[in-house]
Amino acid sequence: MTEKDTQTRLWQEITGMVVAAVILVMAAWLLVPEPLVGNPTQTELLSIRVETTDQRVLSWKPRTVVQRQTARAIVDYMATLHKHNTLLPAKQVWRGEKSMVIHLRTEDDYQVVVLGKAEENGLACGQDGLGLAGQVPACQNLEEYIWDQIQEDLSARS
């Protein structure tokens, strides 16, 4: 073997290891779930927008002390749930029919969780619509929990 063949083989091995490391990191990022709300104590629920079956759009924002306590309970519940990273662009979250849109704010950014009518999984992304969306498995439980929490306030305003 010549010195040139040795260097070529060395570069091929290094390239192979780098590619394998990138594939491993990407697979871990896609397969390992992360919390839906990373830091619940620093997360604030800003608003919830609900589209009802009769095509009405209802908006809920925590204003009173009791509503802020309800919002805190919702954020704490959301902190127990996980999302799976996807390669789905966040812009696609806003397409299609939505039944519930939840706006959250942390110290660093804004987050939106979209729970759709036709999908069994909800989607979470940054509010600016850039980047990738995370998928929230079995979001019906989350939607039912939130609806139970805010239904009394919404029906009192209607």
Side-chain angles (χ1 to χ4, degrees):
M1 258 173 130
T2 67
E3 186 177 326
K4 185 177 181 181
D5 291 338
T6 305
Q7 285 182 341
T8 302
R9 183 177 174 116
L10 178 65
W11 281 110
Q12 288 174 344
E13 289 176 0
I14 290 172
T15 303
M17 286 188 278
V18 168
V19 168
V22 167
I23 290 171
L24 182 65
V25 167
M26 190 68 162
W29 182 75
L30 286 170
L31 296 176
V32 176
E34 65 180 83
L36 181 58
V37 175
N39 188 351
T41 57
Q42 297 296 320
T43 302
E44 178 185 5
L45 192 147
L46 298 176
S47 68
I48 298 173
R49 184 172 176 255
V50 180
E51 294 181 20
T52 61
T53 53
D54 57 353
Q55 303 303 320
R56 290 187 309 154
V57 177
L58 305 171
S59 181
W60 183 82
K61 294 180 183 181
R63 293 194 169 109
T64 66
V65 173
V66 173
Q67 289 172 341
R68 287 190 189 114
Q69 290 172 343
T70 301
R72 172 63 30 217
I74 291 170
V75 169
D76 290 344
Y77 179 78
M78 290 175 73
T80 64
L81 303 177
H82 290 83
K83 65 180 177 179
H84 296 279
N85 293 313
T86 67
L87 298 176
L88 178 69
K91 289 180 182 178
Q92 291 184 6
V93 170
W94 299 105
R95 294 185 185 154
E97 296 182 21
K98 304 163 195 66
S99 62
M100 188 176 286
V101 180
I102 306 156
H103 295 268
L104 304 164
R105 179 178 69 185
T106 65
E107 286 184 338
D108 301 325
D109 61 350
Y110 290 90
Q111 181 180 355
V112 176
V113 178
V114 179
L115 307 176
K117 292 178 185 173
E119 298 178 19
E120 62 183 55
N121 292 319
L123 295 167
C125 67
Q127 189 162 331
D128 57 6
L130 301 175
L132 300 173
Q135 200 166 39
V136 184
C139 67
Q140 292 86 9
N141 295 341
L142 173 59
E143 189 170 0
E144 289 172 9
Y145 177 80
I146 292 172
W147 186 252
D148 288 343
Q149 297 294 316
I150 67 172
Q151 188 172 15
E152 185 175 313
D153 286 337
L154 289 175
S155 60
R157 277 194 264 157
S158 297

